[in-house]
Amino acid sequence: MRVIVLNGVNLNMLGRRDPAVYGGLSIAELEGRIYEWGRELELTVQCRQTNSEGEFIKWCHDAYDNTDGMVVNPGAWSHYAWSIHDALDMLSIPIVEVHLSNVEAREEWRRTSVISDLVAARFIGEGPDGYRQALEYLKEQTT
C-alpha cells in the first residue's frame, strides 16, 4: 500500500514551536518515526512538508493516480483553506486527518476543520502517535 503523508504550514518548525503544545520532535525526527512505522506495517510511505498552499494542493493532485491512502496535517490550513478541501475532494482514496495538539480543546477557530467531511478518520491530540494510528487505520482498510 502506497501512503503519502502531507504536513502543512509551520510544521517545519516542530521542535522549536511551543513544545508543550506540539511536542519536542523536529519534523525530521517525526518523519523518521513515520517511516519506521510504515516499514513495520509494510507500507510504502512518502512524507512531505510545505509552507506553500499551492504546493500542498499540487501534491494532492499528484496523489490522484499513484497513492492508495493519505495522511494529512494541513496545520492552520485545516481551519479555512477550502482550496485544500477541493483538492482532497477529488480523491477516492481513504484520507486520515492528524493534528499533534488537541485542536478541539484550543481556540474556537481551531475547532473548525474544512476537511472533516472528507476524511475517513481523525486523530487529534495524540502527538506523534496520531500518525502511527493513522497508518494503522489505513493498513486495516486494505486487509
Side-chain angles (χ1 to χ4, degrees):
M1 177 178 202
R2 300 163 300 177
V3 176
I4 189 163
V5 178
L6 299 182
N7 284 300
V9 65
N10 294 318
L11 288 164
N12 62 305
M13 298 306 291
L14 290 177
R16 297 178 183 188
R17 184 177 180 199
D18 197 350
V21 174
Y22 299 102
L25 295 179
S26 69
I27 188 70
E29 292 167 325
L30 175 61
E31 288 177 349
R33 286 190 184 183
I34 293 168
Y35 285 123
E36 182 179 321
W37 293 324
R39 283 188 299 275
E40 290 171 4
L41 294 166
E42 299 177 342
L43 302 172
T44 301
V45 176
Q46 180 182 27
C47 293
R48 292 183 166 179
Q49 186 281 325
T50 185
N51 291 316
S52 167
E53 186 175 344
E55 187 168 35
F56 194 96
I57 290 166
K58 181 185 179 312
W59 292 339
C60 293
H61 295 170
D62 291 347
Y64 192 82
D65 290 320
N66 64 8
T67 304
D68 303 306
M70 183 180 286
V71 177
V72 295
N73 180 348
W77 292 327
S78 305
H79 315 302
Y80 67 87
W82 288 99
S83 55
I84 290 174
H85 172 280
D86 290 351
L88 293 172
D89 191 32
M90 292 182 247
L91 300 170
S92 59
I93 59 174
I95 302 166
V96 180
E97 181 180 5
V98 172
H99 293 280
L100 294 164
S101 69
N102 182 357
V103 291
E104 299 294 332
R106 295 183 64 195
E107 302 92 337
E108 185 68 34
W109 64 271
R110 292 187 195 270
R111 297 176 193 170
T112 298
S113 169
V114 299
I115 65 170
S116 64
D117 65 317
L118 303 175
V119 299
R122 296 179 81 210
F123 297 98
I124 60 170
E126 300 292 334
D129 285 340
Y131 289 88
R132 179 184 48 79
Q133 293 168 345
L135 294 174
E136 289 171 348
Y137 176 87
L138 289 172
K139 175 72 175 189
E140 289 171 8
Q141 301 309 298
T142 63
T143 56

